Amino acid sequence: VPNCVGHPRIAAFPRTADKNAVPTRTIQGTKTMLNRTVHSIMYNEVHDEIVVNQNIGQAILTFRGGADGEEPPIRVIHGPKTQLRDPEKIAVDPINNEIYVINMTINDRVLVFDRLAHGDVAPKRVLMGPDTMLGASQVAVDPTRNLLIVAGNARGLGTRILIFNRTAEGNTKPIR
């Protein structure tokens, strides 16, 4: 569970936690690079990793699944080559080793990074289009069916769910 406003941290609770449960561990502190803008968190169960956005710092942070305390991320995607501009939503494909990102301010594209990307690296693929992706606000991946699902609300076009082949790139029209 991310707590991104009052106290930047990621807290882990028992599966059966209820009401005022105390976390079993927390990732927090300066070395974690977490800030008040963690709006998306994903767990990669295949590689036991936690992946979060860092909106203010324009970054994607990956932590060990068992990270605790003031533990730094094991990988950070950050810098001008990344095309990250207020990264808002992420999805993880643990089978094909990819991280999918939608920016908040430039929401006409999905950036796809290799799971092991670190530093100032360009996306391995970019799916975009002025009509296709405009207003994208959610992203999900189905590695079993090889699908990428993008949802959002484009002005004048209404709320939409767009389905692409997982490996789509460039100005590609959705398959559904």
Side-chain angles (χ1 to χ4, degrees):
V1 178
N3 178 349
C4 61
V5 178
H7 187 68
R9 72 177 187 174
I10 297 171
F13 294 89
R15 183 185 55 78
T16 58
D18 192 17
K19 298 184 178 135
N20 293 324
V22 176
T24 56
R25 62 190 169 89
T26 60
I27 304 170
Q28 63 185 350
T30 306
K31 291 180 184 175
T32 67
M33 300 172 63
L34 291 170
N35 62 34
R36 327 174 315 127
T37 57
V38 175
H39 297 154
S40 194
I41 182 170
M42 297 296 295
Y43 176 67
N44 180 332
E45 68 277 3
V46 172
H47 299 97
D48 190 26
E49 295 175 340
I50 300 167
V51 183
V52 300
N53 75 306
Q54 202 236 41
N55 189 291
I56 291 174
Q58 316 298 324
I60 302 299
L61 312 175
T62 301
F63 295 92
R64 291 182 321 105
D68 193 11
E70 196 169 347
E71 187 172 325
I74 56 175
R75 288 185 300 281
V76 178
I77 301 171
H78 176 268
K81 292 179 189 172
T82 67
Q83 300 181 43
L84 294 172
R85 305 291 181 271
D86 303 324
E88 175 86 308
K89 299 296 180 184
I90 58 174
V92 173
D93 178 349
I95 305 304
N96 297 291
N97 292 314
E98 294 179 328
I99 299 171
Y100 299 78
V101 182
I102 292 179
N103 289 316
M104 180 174 22
T105 53
I106 304 174
N107 60 359
D108 65 347
R109 64 195 68 195
V110 176
L111 308 173
V112 184
F113 295 93
D114 185 276
R115 178 184 73 84
L116 297 175
H118 183 62
D120 187 9
V121 296
K124 65 188 269 187
R125 285 191 313 280
V126 178
L127 174 63
M128 63 183 158
D131 295 328
T132 305
M133 303 297 293
L134 193 62
S137 61
Q138 296 290 332
V139 62
V141 62
D142 180 346
T144 305
R145 293 176 187 84
N146 227 20
L147 298 175
L148 177 64
I149 300 96
V150 180
N153 187 1
R155 286 190 196 116
L157 298 174
T159 302
R160 308 177 300 163
I161 297 174
L162 307 171
I163 301 172
F164 298 89
N165 286 318
R166 182 188 59 80
T167 58
E169 64 183 304
N171 193 356
T172 302
K173 292 185 189 254
I175 57 176
R176 290 193 285 285

